[in-house]
Amino acid sequence: MTASSGARSDDVLKHYLDVAGVPRLDLVAGQEIAAAGAQAIVHAPDLLQDEADYRGALQRWFGLLKIGGLLVLTVPHAFLDARQDRLPVAHRPRQRRLYTPASLLAEVEEALVPNSYRLRWLADRDGGYDYALDRATPPTGQHDIALVLERIEQPDWGLAPATHIAPAPDFAFEPLHTRVETMVADGAARILLLKLDHLGDFLMAVPAMHAVRRHFPDAHITLVVGSWNEGVARRPAIADELLTFDALPRNAEEAQVDVAGKVAQFDALIQGRYDLAIDLRTFGDTHIFLRNVDARHKAGIGHRGAHPFLDIFLPVDPTSEAVDHAWHEPIGLQEFSAFDACERTSFQIGCHGRGAQAGEQILLWGPYRSLVPGDYLFQPYLDLDFDRPGVLAYDIALNAERRAYGVLDGSTDLLIPFAVSGKTSQFEFRLATLPDEPPLDFRFYGGKLIKKGASGTLHQSEYLGLLVELVAMRLNGTILRDARDGPR
């Protein structure tokens, strides 16, 4: 049997949504909300994942309820809908976060005042879901998470200890978090550091590695690097143990990046239990290696929505950057689709144009990235067969409208400029044959997307330094010590 019935979860959801004689407010995206404190049932179907301010959204929706009212949420399940642990989601380009039951409940606890609600139901809904389908096939059946909260009358007692606590400073602003957590200093005796990067990026991370040693001087540190960095990694005398693992190719233009396909190899390499595991790569693609590591704390740059297994993270949101902020990002082969006659491996897409139909035929297309306004460059990684005459056309489309066009007849060194103006647009790169022209055979390895503009506000070494300082504050209890010592 490949499909789940999920009948019980369907019945439970209907039980909460369809109460006889009780009116229900069904929310839609962009809806203006009024009449706070008056609703019996508020239904927010598949909305939270697209909200930039998830705390504000949860607080607004919950505020509509009267005492005893129910807030019913559904969100796409990261492991059933997207079937990935990183953004973006190709079929949901507006989605800002990925959800598991744990990460959804964590946002609720972060957004809402303690003891103002009770959790009545939380479930994976997979009714009719076909687990036999591969990730290239859209999911069937249900593939979401459902959560039901009941608003209650807050009790007179709070959660703070009965002992006297000095009043907090009178800040001129309200903090974003309504949930208060107390950190306990628990240190770290065994630490795993990942820096699976190229030589230049490795050198940029050396100060952050020294900071780890400074904050945890007695810890046993295991450092994992690419094999090409093994020699230089031994010089700083940071690690007690050095392991090599080639998650990325030494030259991304010569071999396809397949990080997700190497998770099993990494799991076999890393044995034992750690107190702390940190990924020191600024891109989130290698964070997936921390998912199965046996560690009490896992840290990296990003956010919990994209990497739900991280519990310490430095939130860097690229969507909040200004229009003139410059960045570049590799785009893997897996984000592109190809003509049926093309041959796909984990490293390349190879196409023999001779198998295409007469006339203009699209041979390759993708990756459907949502881009904010600005000036961009796209660099495809291509090998062309010039042993016989032929041509190949390329173009760039935004929201399915062609914005750049050219013909390849002798060069693979492409850097294609294009501009996004007015609103966020969906980006697509395409290769095609031309009518009445013999097509070129080609091999495609992915590409690089570049946003032109000013340099970033922080250098990657600064981001990594901040991440290490945050980890030290959490694990060494720096915040608690500062509070006991008084203002500084």
Side-chain angles (χ1 to χ4, degrees), residues 270-299:
I270 303 303
Q271 302 294 326
R273 178 170 176 76
Y274 294 88
D275 299 298
L276 170 65
I278 310 177
D279 185 4
L280 292 174
R281 181 164 157 84
T282 50
F283 288 114
D285 51 358
T286 57
H287 290 358
I288 191 173
F289 292 124
L290 295 185
R291 184 177 61 189
N292 299 328
V293 170
D294 186 3
R296 284 190 299 126
H297 301 285
K298 301 176 184 181

Side-chain angles (χ1 to χ4, degrees), residues 151-268:
R151 183 169 185 173
I152 66 169
E153 191 79 51
Q154 286 183 247
D156 292 334
W157 46 268
L159 298 178
T163 56
H164 174 72
I165 298 178
D170 184 15
F171 293 115
F173 58 87
E174 286 292 326
L176 287 176
H177 294 65
T178 56
R179 172 178 162 212
V180 178
E181 297 183 4
T182 301
M183 294 181 294
V184 178
D186 50 7
R190 297 193 73 229
I191 297 176
L192 177 69
L193 296 182
L194 307 187
K195 190 51 179 170
L196 305 171
D197 234 322
H198 304 292
L199 177 59
D201 293 313
F202 176 84
L203 295 175
M204 292 297 105
V206 169
M209 296 179 198
H210 281 299
V212 173
R213 174 57 76 194
R214 185 174 66 252
H215 286 296
F216 304 97
D218 299 324
H220 181 280
I221 297 178
T222 300
L223 175 62
V224 189
V225 301
S227 58
W228 50 86
N229 284 329
E230 181 178 7
V232 71
R234 295 188 184 279
R235 297 176 193 169
I238 296 167
D240 302 285
E241 179 183 12
L242 185 66
L243 301 176
T244 60
F245 184 78
D246 292 346
L248 306 171
R250 183 164 190 163
N251 187 342
E253 298 186 15
E254 295 178 357
Q256 176 57 40
V257 177
D258 184 25
V259 173
K262 297 185 178 182
V263 171
Q265 300 173 38
F266 183 83
D267 291 346

